[in-house]
Amino acid sequence: MIYRKSRKRLPQGERTAGVLVLDGRTGWVAGMHWTQSGATDLLTRLRLNDTHWVTSGKGTGKVTGLVSPEKTRRGVKLYSLASVFQSAIGGSSHGLYRLDEDNNKWVFLATVRDELTVMADVTGTLQEVCTARNHFLTFNDPGEEGWSCVADHQQNISWKMLVEGLSAQTMARARLNEVSLRRPLTVIAIVAALVATGLWIQNESSQAARDAAIEASRKVVNVIKPEEAVQPEKLPGPWVTRFTVPVFLKACWATRSESRMSIVGWRVSVGECDEQQQGLRLHYEAAQGSTIENFDRRVVQLYGHPATFDFVDGGKNGNVFIHFGLPDANSLQDEPLRPANERLKSFISHMQRKNVPVQLSEVKQPEALPGTKSEQPKTDWQEYTFTLSTGLMPELLLEGMDARGVRLSSISYTVSPQGLYNYTLRGSLYAKK
């Protein structure tokens, strides 16, 4: 058995991380990026720049997995471990499987009522997959049958046990398809070349036929270059790669509503939902008579991983980070932007109705130095950053707001000893110039 790790997960629009384990001429892939049905048509897969895909489920439960495994030997067939789990196990089940002999790499697989979920198929260390499992169990309902744990880390079950004795039908459903336009483009190129040759032979004495053949050959050369054919005319704006406001609000609320305000005498004083880190950071302060050991032990029980401490200050402060659940297919959008004047008036008016002051800053494009040529591409959009401070919950503050071109980078809050909250929202407005 050969174990390979694919390229590291890159931002949206580049590559999807995955782990590839090889057994002879068969490759099994874990850690695919799964999205709901309808979000991954061919053009979307090309924009994501992934190389392989597979679908699972039917109707509203249909999901598509994307991945870019490393190059393998010719003739190696690739299959999805998550798809195998869905076919062979199914139900409302979950399991942790060991991917290597050193117990350094694991995968968390799960189904909910016989359907794959975008929160499963997570690879990483044992601690990371245990955290993913805890999040999954928190945000999913198994139905009347309840959860079935088919593989726990204490059992130390290898991924090989999952793929033993699979039927041909199960293997066919789990087979990865390659994302490529080269095959149809090559067929078009060959047909065009044959037509050009026929024109030349049939009308050898005709200058018009010669010109037609030359023109057809030129088109063949252009068609054989799929990379150039699918290039967009302009670079997408940064809002395309950022979570929409409803998605970020939902993820932040779902995570902080499940968090504990007090743990064995330690109380939350500051919290922050961070877009880049995709999680909630909580700052706890120790109460008199409480200890670091008790707090840390309870944090591991609740969140699946230990807290971090500032020992220099005497261990009076502890920090806990909780990852959001994996985003769904509608997390990213490229909505049309409003003109800057309309966008700013609408946003500021909404905040004025809520009696919340707004601080705006225009993001300037860097100017080229004298005597040098600027490499910054010209854009038809403008970015403004904003900061809002309020006692209103973010969900109430932004309710009814036109969120087109609005993106949140963070929602932070402080909690007074009396339990009063104060929120600070930071983000960006994108508008047409």
PDB file of all heavy atoms in Angstrom, residues 4-11 14-20 29-31 48-52 67-72 105 123:
ATOM      1  N   ARG A   4      -0.249   8.677  -0.181  1.00  0.00           N
ATOM      2  CA  ARG A   4       0.152   9.963  -0.739  1.00  0.00           C
ATOM      3  C   ARG A   4      -0.768  11.045  -0.236  1.00  0.00           C
ATOM      4  O   ARG A   4      -1.964  10.845  -0.111  1.00  0.00           O
ATOM      5  CB  ARG A   4       0.096   9.954  -2.280  1.00  0.00           C
ATOM      6  CG  ARG A   4       1.156   9.063  -2.923  1.00  0.00           C
ATOM      7  CD  ARG A   4       1.133   9.215  -4.424  1.00  0.00           C
ATOM      8  NE  ARG A   4       2.124   8.366  -5.056  1.00  0.00           N
ATOM      9  CZ  ARG A   4       2.320   8.310  -6.362  1.00  0.00           C
ATOM     10  NH1 ARG A   4       1.601   9.059  -7.170  1.00  0.00           N
ATOM     11  NH2 ARG A   4       3.227   7.518  -6.875  1.00  0.00           N
ATOM     12  N   LYS A   5      -0.200  12.200   0.009  1.00  0.00           N
ATOM     13  CA  LYS A   5      -0.991  13.362   0.414  1.00  0.00           C
ATOM     14  C   LYS A   5      -1.049  14.318  -0.759  1.00  0.00           C
ATOM     15  O   LYS A   5      -0.041  14.649  -1.359  1.00  0.00           O
ATOM     16  CB  LYS A   5      -0.344  14.058   1.610  1.00  0.00           C
ATOM     17  CG  LYS A   5      -1.155  15.231   2.123  1.00  0.00           C
ATOM     18  CD  LYS A   5      -0.519  15.809   3.346  1.00  0.00           C
ATOM     19  CE  LYS A   5      -1.348  16.969   3.880  1.00  0.00           C
ATOM     20  NZ  LYS A   5      -0.732  17.574   5.082  1.00  0.00           N
ATOM     21  N   SER A   6      -2.261  14.748  -1.112  1.00  0.00           N
ATOM     22  CA  SER A   6      -2.414  15.662  -2.246  1.00  0.00           C
ATOM     23  C   SER A   6      -2.023  17.067  -1.845  1.00  0.00           C
ATOM     24  O   SER A   6      -1.666  17.337  -0.707  1.00  0.00           O
ATOM     25  CB  SER A   6      -3.859  15.636  -2.750  1.00  0.00           C
ATOM     26  OG  SER A   6      -4.681  16.327  -1.868  1.00  0.00           O
ATOM     27  N   ARG A   7      -2.122  17.971  -2.807  1.00  0.00           N
ATOM     28  CA  ARG A   7      -1.763  19.356  -2.540  1.00  0.00           C
ATOM     29  C   ARG A   7      -2.570  19.927  -1.403  1.00  0.00           C
ATOM     30  O   ARG A   7      -3.733  19.617  -1.233  1.00  0.00           O
ATOM     31  CB  ARG A   7      -1.965  20.207  -3.805  1.00  0.00           C
ATOM     32  CG  ARG A   7      -0.868  19.994  -4.824  1.00  0.00           C
ATOM     33  CD  ARG A   7      -1.123  20.849  -6.035  1.00  0.00           C
ATOM     34  NE  ARG A   7      -2.247  20.346  -6.793  1.00  0.00           N
ATOM     35  CZ  ARG A   7      -2.136  19.432  -7.741  1.00  0.00           C
ATOM     36  NH1 ARG A   7      -0.970  18.923  -8.032  1.00  0.00           N
ATOM     37  NH2 ARG A   7      -3.194  19.016  -8.405  1.00  0.00           N
ATOM     38  N   LYS A   8      -1.963  20.819  -0.652  1.00  0.00           N
ATOM     39  CA  LYS A   8      -2.623  21.459   0.477  1.00  0.00           C
ATOM     40  C   LYS A   8      -3.801  22.273   0.006  1.00  0.00           C
ATOM     41  O   LYS A   8      -3.812  22.817  -1.073  1.00  0.00           O
ATOM     42  CB  LYS A   8      -1.620  22.373   1.202  1.00  0.00           C
ATOM     43  CG  LYS A   8      -2.124  22.932   2.516  1.00  0.00           C
ATOM     44  CD  LYS A   8      -1.033  23.744   3.160  1.00  0.00           C
ATOM     45  CE  LYS A   8      -1.500  24.314   4.483  1.00  0.00           C
ATOM     46  NZ  LYS A   8      -0.461  25.128   5.128  1.00  0.00           N
ATOM     47  N   ARG A   9      -4.853  22.343   0.863  1.00  0.00           N
ATOM     48  CA  ARG A   9      -6.070  23.067   0.495  1.00  0.00           C
ATOM     49  C   ARG A   9      -5.756  24.536   0.207  1.00  0.00           C
ATOM     50  O   ARG A   9      -5.178  25.234   1.032  1.00  0.00           O
ATOM     51  CB  ARG A   9      -7.089  22.965   1.645  1.00  0.00           C
ATOM     52  CG  ARG A   9      -8.385  23.718   1.347  1.00  0.00           C
ATOM     53  CD  ARG A   9      -9.116  23.054   0.195  1.00  0.00           C
ATOM     54  NE  ARG A   9     -10.299  23.820  -0.158  1.00  0.00           N
ATOM     55  CZ  ARG A   9     -11.511  23.556   0.304  1.00  0.00           C
ATOM     56  NH1 ARG A   9     -11.678  22.574   1.152  1.00  0.00           N
ATOM     57  NH2 ARG A   9     -12.544  24.272  -0.075  1.00  0.00           N
ATOM     58  N   LEU A  10      -6.165  24.980  -0.963  1.00  0.00           N
ATOM     59  CA  LEU A  10      -5.941  26.357  -1.372  1.00  0.00           C
ATOM     60  C   LEU A  10      -7.259  27.094  -1.380  1.00  0.00           C
ATOM     61  O   LEU A  10      -8.334  26.505  -1.273  1.00  0.00           O
ATOM     62  CB  LEU A  10      -5.297  26.385  -2.770  1.00  0.00           C
ATOM     63  CG  LEU A  10      -3.910  25.730  -2.840  1.00  0.00           C
ATOM     64  CD1 LEU A  10      -3.429  25.721  -4.268  1.00  0.00           C
ATOM     65  CD2 LEU A  10      -2.919  26.423  -1.938  1.00  0.00           C
ATOM     66  N   PRO A  11      -7.236  28.425  -1.518  1.00  0.00           N
ATOM     67  CA  PRO A  11      -8.478  29.190  -1.487  1.00  0.00           C
ATOM     68  C   PRO A  11      -9.422  28.802  -2.607  1.00  0.00           C
ATOM     69  O   PRO A  11      -9.034  28.173  -3.591  1.00  0.00           O
ATOM     70  CB  PRO A  11      -7.986  30.640  -1.646  1.00  0.00           C
ATOM     71  CG  PRO A  11      -6.576  30.612  -1.201  1.00  0.00           C
ATOM     72  CD  PRO A  11      -6.047  29.263  -1.594  1.00  0.00           C
ATOM     73  N   GLU A  14      -9.044  27.626  -6.652  1.00  0.00           N
ATOM     74  CA  GLU A  14      -7.798  26.977  -7.011  1.00  0.00           C
ATOM     75  C   GLU A  14      -7.950  25.467  -6.864  1.00  0.00           C
ATOM     76  O   GLU A  14      -8.594  24.832  -7.675  1.00  0.00           O
ATOM     77  CB  GLU A  14      -6.655  27.546  -6.172  1.00  0.00           C
ATOM     78  CG  GLU A  14      -6.446  29.048  -6.432  1.00  0.00           C
ATOM     79  CD  GLU A  14      -5.242  29.604  -5.703  1.00  0.00           C
ATOM     80  OE1 GLU A  14      -4.375  28.825  -5.284  1.00  0.00           O
ATOM     81  OE2 GLU A  14      -5.182  30.825  -5.536  1.00  0.00           O
ATOM     82  N   ARG A  15      -7.399  24.870  -5.824  1.00  0.00           N
ATOM     83  CA  ARG A  15      -7.454  23.422  -5.684  1.00  0.00           C
ATOM     84  C   ARG A  15      -8.142  22.990  -4.399  1.00  0.00           C
ATOM     85  O   ARG A  15      -8.178  23.733  -3.428  1.00  0.00           O
ATOM     86  CB  ARG A  15      -6.032  22.851  -5.704  1.00  0.00           C
ATOM     87  CG  ARG A  15      -5.290  23.087  -7.020  1.00  0.00           C
ATOM     88  CD  ARG A  15      -5.767  22.146  -8.113  1.00  0.00           C
ATOM     89  NE  ARG A  15      -5.060  22.387  -9.361  1.00  0.00           N
ATOM     90  CZ  ARG A  15      -5.257  21.693 -10.465  1.00  0.00           C
ATOM     91  NH1 ARG A  15      -6.148  20.724 -10.482  1.00  0.00           N
ATOM     92  NH2 ARG A  15      -4.589  21.971 -11.557  1.00  0.00           N
ATOM     93  N   THR A  16      -8.681  21.768  -4.415  1.00  0.00           N
ATOM     94  CA  THR A  16      -9.320  21.187  -3.242  1.00  0.00           C
ATOM     95  C   THR A  16      -8.399  20.135  -2.646  1.00  0.00           C
ATOM     96  O   THR A  16      -7.903  19.271  -3.355  1.00  0.00           O
ATOM     97  CB  THR A  16     -10.667  20.538  -3.628  1.00  0.00           C
ATOM     98  OG1 THR A  16     -11.515  21.532  -4.188  1.00  0.00           O
ATOM     99  CG2 THR A  16     -11.328  19.922  -2.417  1.00  0.00           C
ATOM    100  N   ALA A  17      -8.205  20.218  -1.341  1.00  0.00           N
ATOM    101  CA  ALA A  17      -7.300  19.282  -0.679  1.00  0.00           C
ATOM    102  C   ALA A  17      -7.886  17.883  -0.677  1.00  0.00           C
ATOM    103  O   ALA A  17      -9.082  17.677  -0.738  1.00  0.00           O
ATOM    104  CB  ALA A  17      -7.030  19.738   0.752  1.00  0.00           C
ATOM    105  N   GLY A  18      -7.051  16.916  -0.567  1.00  0.00           N
ATOM    106  CA  GLY A  18      -7.483  15.532  -0.475  1.00  0.00           C
ATOM    107  C   GLY A  18      -6.319  14.651  -0.074  1.00  0.00           C
ATOM    108  O   GLY A  18      -5.172  15.070  -0.114  1.00  0.00           O
ATOM    109  N   VAL A  19      -6.626  13.448   0.358  1.00  0.00           N
ATOM    110  CA  VAL A  19      -5.611  12.463   0.708  1.00  0.00           C
ATOM    111  C   VAL A  19      -5.834  11.234  -0.155  1.00  0.00           C
ATOM    112  O   VAL A  19      -6.955  10.725  -0.248  1.00  0.00           O
ATOM    113  CB  VAL A  19      -5.676  12.100   2.202  1.00  0.00           C
ATOM    114  CG1 VAL A  19      -4.730  10.950   2.512  1.00  0.00           C
ATOM    115  CG2 VAL A  19      -5.317  13.301   3.058  1.00  0.00           C
ATOM    116  N   LEU A  20      -4.787  10.769  -0.811  1.00  0.00           N
ATOM    117  CA  LEU A  20      -4.864   9.629  -1.717  1.00  0.00           C
ATOM    118  C   LEU A  20      -4.095   8.456  -1.149  1.00  0.00           C
ATOM    119  O   LEU A  20      -2.914   8.589  -0.805  1.00  0.00           O
ATOM    120  CB  LEU A  20      -4.300  10.018  -3.091  1.00  0.00           C
ATOM    121  CG  LEU A  20      -4.146   8.884  -4.124  1.00  0.00           C
ATOM    122  CD1 LEU A  20      -5.510   8.336  -4.494  1.00  0.00           C
ATOM    123  CD2 LEU A  20      -3.412   9.385  -5.360  1.00  0.00           C
ATOM    124  N   VAL A  29      -9.628   8.019  -2.462  1.00  0.00           N
ATOM    125  CA  VAL A  29      -9.462   9.434  -2.145  1.00  0.00           C
ATOM    126  C   VAL A  29     -10.357   9.808  -0.969  1.00  0.00           C
ATOM    127  O   VAL A  29     -11.546   9.479  -0.945  1.00  0.00           O
ATOM    128  CB  VAL A  29      -9.810  10.326  -3.355  1.00  0.00           C
ATOM    129  CG1 VAL A  29      -9.634  11.801  -3.001  1.00  0.00           C
ATOM    130  CG2 VAL A  29      -8.920   9.964  -4.542  1.00  0.00           C
ATOM    131  N   ALA A  30      -9.776  10.506   0.015  1.00  0.00           N
ATOM    132  CA  ALA A  30     -10.516  11.043   1.161  1.00  0.00           C
ATOM    133  C   ALA A  30     -10.289  12.548   1.228  1.00  0.00           C
ATOM    134  O   ALA A  30      -9.357  13.079   0.634  1.00  0.00           O
ATOM    135  CB  ALA A  30     -10.052  10.386   2.463  1.00  0.00           C
ATOM    136  N   GLY A  31     -11.154  13.249   1.963  1.00  0.00           N
ATOM    137  CA  GLY A  31     -11.008  14.694   2.118  1.00  0.00           C
ATOM    138  C   GLY A  31     -11.484  15.483   0.919  1.00  0.00           C
ATOM    139  O   GLY A  31     -10.937  16.545   0.608  1.00  0.00           O
ATOM    140  N   LEU A  48     -13.562  26.147 -10.289  1.00  0.00           N
ATOM    141  CA  LEU A  48     -12.877  25.707  -9.088  1.00  0.00           C
ATOM    142  C   LEU A  48     -11.495  25.144  -9.402  1.00  0.00           C
ATOM    143  O   LEU A  48     -10.655  25.009  -8.530  1.00  0.00           O
ATOM    144  CB  LEU A  48     -13.713  24.636  -8.372  1.00  0.00           C
ATOM    145  CG  LEU A  48     -14.994  25.145  -7.697  1.00  0.00           C
ATOM    146  CD1 LEU A  48     -15.839  23.952  -7.254  1.00  0.00           C
ATOM    147  CD2 LEU A  48     -14.663  26.020  -6.518  1.00  0.00           C
ATOM    148  N   ASN A  49     -11.282  24.741 -10.670  1.00  0.00           N
ATOM    149  CA  ASN A  49      -9.981  24.259 -11.115  1.00  0.00           C
ATOM    150  C   ASN A  49      -9.640  22.897 -10.528  1.00  0.00           C
ATOM    151  O   ASN A  49      -8.480  22.547 -10.416  1.00  0.00           O
ATOM    152  CB  ASN A  49      -8.876  25.268 -10.768  1.00  0.00           C
ATOM    153  CG  ASN A  49      -7.676  25.134 -11.698  1.00  0.00           C
ATOM    154  OD1 ASN A  49      -7.823  24.697 -12.836  1.00  0.00           O
ATOM    155  ND2 ASN A  49      -6.504  25.504 -11.232  1.00  0.00           N
ATOM    156  N   ASP A  50     -10.643  22.123 -10.104  1.00  0.00           N
ATOM    157  CA  ASP A  50     -10.393  20.768  -9.629  1.00  0.00           C
ATOM    158  C   ASP A  50     -10.367  19.802 -10.799  1.00  0.00           C
ATOM    159  O   ASP A  50     -10.899  20.076 -11.874  1.00  0.00           O
ATOM    160  CB  ASP A  50     -11.456  20.352  -8.613  1.00  0.00           C
ATOM    161  CG  ASP A  50     -11.183  20.936  -7.242  1.00  0.00           C
ATOM    162  OD1 ASP A  50     -10.057  20.738  -6.756  1.00  0.00           O
ATOM    163  OD2 ASP A  50     -12.066  21.584  -6.674  1.00  0.00           O
ATOM    164  N   THR A  51      -9.772  18.635 -10.568  1.00  0.00           N
ATOM    165  CA  THR A  51      -9.541  17.700 -11.660  1.00  0.00           C
ATOM    166  C   THR A  51     -10.488  16.513 -11.673  1.00  0.00           C
ATOM    167  O   THR A  51     -10.642  15.877 -12.704  1.00  0.00           O
ATOM    168  CB  THR A  51      -8.100  17.179 -11.600  1.00  0.00           C
ATOM    169  OG1 THR A  51      -7.900  16.493 -10.348  1.00  0.00           O
ATOM    170  CG2 THR A  51      -7.103  18.325 -11.700  1.00  0.00           C
ATOM    171  N   HIS A  52     -11.121  16.178 -10.518  1.00  0.00           N
ATOM    172  CA  HIS A  52     -11.982  15.002 -10.470  1.00  0.00           C
ATOM    173  C   HIS A  52     -13.256  15.302  -9.678  1.00  0.00           C
ATOM    174  O   HIS A  52     -13.254  16.152  -8.795  1.00  0.00           O
ATOM    175  CB  HIS A  52     -11.251  13.817  -9.825  1.00  0.00           C
ATOM    176  CG  HIS A  52     -10.124  13.281 -10.659  1.00  0.00           C
ATOM    177  ND1 HIS A  52      -8.902  13.917 -10.764  1.00  0.00           N
ATOM    178  CD2 HIS A  52     -10.057  12.177 -11.456  1.00  0.00           C
ATOM    179  CE1 HIS A  52      -8.126  13.216 -11.581  1.00  0.00           C
ATOM    180  NE2 HIS A  52      -8.797  12.165 -12.006  1.00  0.00           N
ATOM    181  N   VAL A  67     -12.218  17.203  -6.052  1.00  0.00           N
ATOM    182  CA  VAL A  67     -10.895  16.968  -5.496  1.00  0.00           C
ATOM    183  C   VAL A  67      -9.858  17.055  -6.602  1.00  0.00           C
ATOM    184  O   VAL A  67     -10.186  16.927  -7.786  1.00  0.00           O
ATOM    185  CB  VAL A  67     -10.825  15.580  -4.799  1.00  0.00           C
ATOM    186  CG1 VAL A  67     -10.791  14.459  -5.828  1.00  0.00           C
ATOM    187  CG2 VAL A  67      -9.649  15.490  -3.839  1.00  0.00           C
ATOM    188  N   SER A  68      -8.604  17.301  -6.220  1.00  0.00           N
ATOM    189  CA  SER A  68      -7.490  17.328  -7.174  1.00  0.00           C
ATOM    190  C   SER A  68      -6.355  16.463  -6.628  1.00  0.00           C
ATOM    191  O   SER A  68      -5.409  16.974  -6.039  1.00  0.00           O
ATOM    192  CB  SER A  68      -6.999  18.771  -7.388  1.00  0.00           C
ATOM    193  OG  SER A  68      -7.991  19.561  -7.967  1.00  0.00           O
ATOM    194  N   PRO A  69      -6.442  15.139  -6.791  1.00  0.00           N
ATOM    195  CA  PRO A  69      -5.370  14.269  -6.286  1.00  0.00           C
ATOM    196  C   PRO A  69      -4.100  14.435  -7.092  1.00  0.00           C
ATOM    197  O   PRO A  69      -4.122  14.908  -8.232  1.00  0.00           O
ATOM    198  CB  PRO A  69      -5.960  12.868  -6.452  1.00  0.00           C
ATOM    199  CG  PRO A  69      -6.920  13.000  -7.579  1.00  0.00           C
ATOM    200  CD  PRO A  69      -7.501  14.388  -7.467  1.00  0.00           C
ATOM    201  N   GLU A  70      -2.993  14.047  -6.493  1.00  0.00           N
ATOM    202  CA  GLU A  70      -1.717  14.122  -7.206  1.00  0.00           C
ATOM    203  C   GLU A  70      -1.725  13.161  -8.392  1.00  0.00           C
ATOM    204  O   GLU A  70      -2.527  12.221  -8.459  1.00  0.00           O
ATOM    205  CB  GLU A  70      -0.571  13.776  -6.263  1.00  0.00           C
ATOM    206  CG  GLU A  70      -0.287  14.845  -5.225  1.00  0.00           C
ATOM    207  CD  GLU A  70       0.940  14.488  -4.398  1.00  0.00           C
ATOM    208  OE1 GLU A  70       1.301  13.295  -4.364  1.00  0.00           O
ATOM    209  OE2 GLU A  70       1.530  15.395  -3.800  1.00  0.00           O
ATOM    210  N   LYS A  71      -0.807  13.402  -9.315  1.00  0.00           N
ATOM    211  CA  LYS A  71      -0.713  12.536 -10.478  1.00  0.00           C
ATOM    212  C   LYS A  71      -0.347  11.112 -10.049  1.00  0.00           C
ATOM    213  O   LYS A  71       0.498  10.903  -9.184  1.00  0.00           O
ATOM    214  CB  LYS A  71       0.349  13.065 -11.443  1.00  0.00           C
ATOM    215  CG  LYS A  71      -0.023  14.398 -12.087  1.00  0.00           C
ATOM    216  CD  LYS A  71       1.051  14.845 -13.055  1.00  0.00           C
ATOM    217  CE  LYS A  71       0.668  16.180 -13.701  1.00  0.00           C
ATOM    218  NZ  LYS A  71       1.708  16.654 -14.636  1.00  0.00           N
ATOM    219  N   THR A  72      -1.021  10.154 -10.641  1.00  0.00           N
ATOM    220  CA  THR A  72      -0.759   8.752 -10.336  1.00  0.00           C
ATOM    221  C   THR A  72      -0.272   8.044 -11.585  1.00  0.00           C
ATOM    222  O   THR A  72      -0.264   8.610 -12.684  1.00  0.00           O
ATOM    223  CB  THR A  72      -2.034   8.068  -9.821  1.00  0.00           C
ATOM    224  OG1 THR A  72      -3.048   8.160 -10.835  1.00  0.00           O
ATOM    225  CG2 THR A  72      -2.516   8.738  -8.544  1.00  0.00           C
ATOM    226  N   LYS A 105      -2.523  10.204  10.239  1.00  0.00           N
ATOM    227  CA  LYS A 105      -3.548  10.720   9.333  1.00  0.00           C
ATOM    228  C   LYS A 105      -4.806   9.863   9.454  1.00  0.00           C
ATOM    229  O   LYS A 105      -4.767   8.641   9.347  1.00  0.00           O
ATOM    230  CB  LYS A 105      -3.036  10.715   7.895  1.00  0.00           C
ATOM    231  CG  LYS A 105      -3.975  11.323   6.895  1.00  0.00           C
ATOM    232  CD  LYS A 105      -4.165  12.808   7.115  1.00  0.00           C
ATOM    233  CE  LYS A 105      -2.895  13.593   6.846  1.00  0.00           C
ATOM    234  NZ  LYS A 105      -3.119  15.051   6.936  1.00  0.00           N
ATOM    235  N   THR A 123     -10.308  15.003   6.679  1.00  0.00           N
ATOM    236  CA  THR A 123      -9.047  14.346   6.995  1.00  0.00           C
ATOM    237  C   THR A 123      -8.202  15.234   7.910  1.00  0.00           C
ATOM    238  O   THR A 123      -8.385  16.444   7.954  1.00  0.00           O
ATOM    239  CB  THR A 123      -8.250  14.040   5.719  1.00  0.00           C
ATOM    240  OG1 THR A 123      -7.989  15.268   5.024  1.00  0.00           O
ATOM    241  CG2 THR A 123      -9.017  13.097   4.807  1.00  0.00           C
TER     242      THR A 123
END
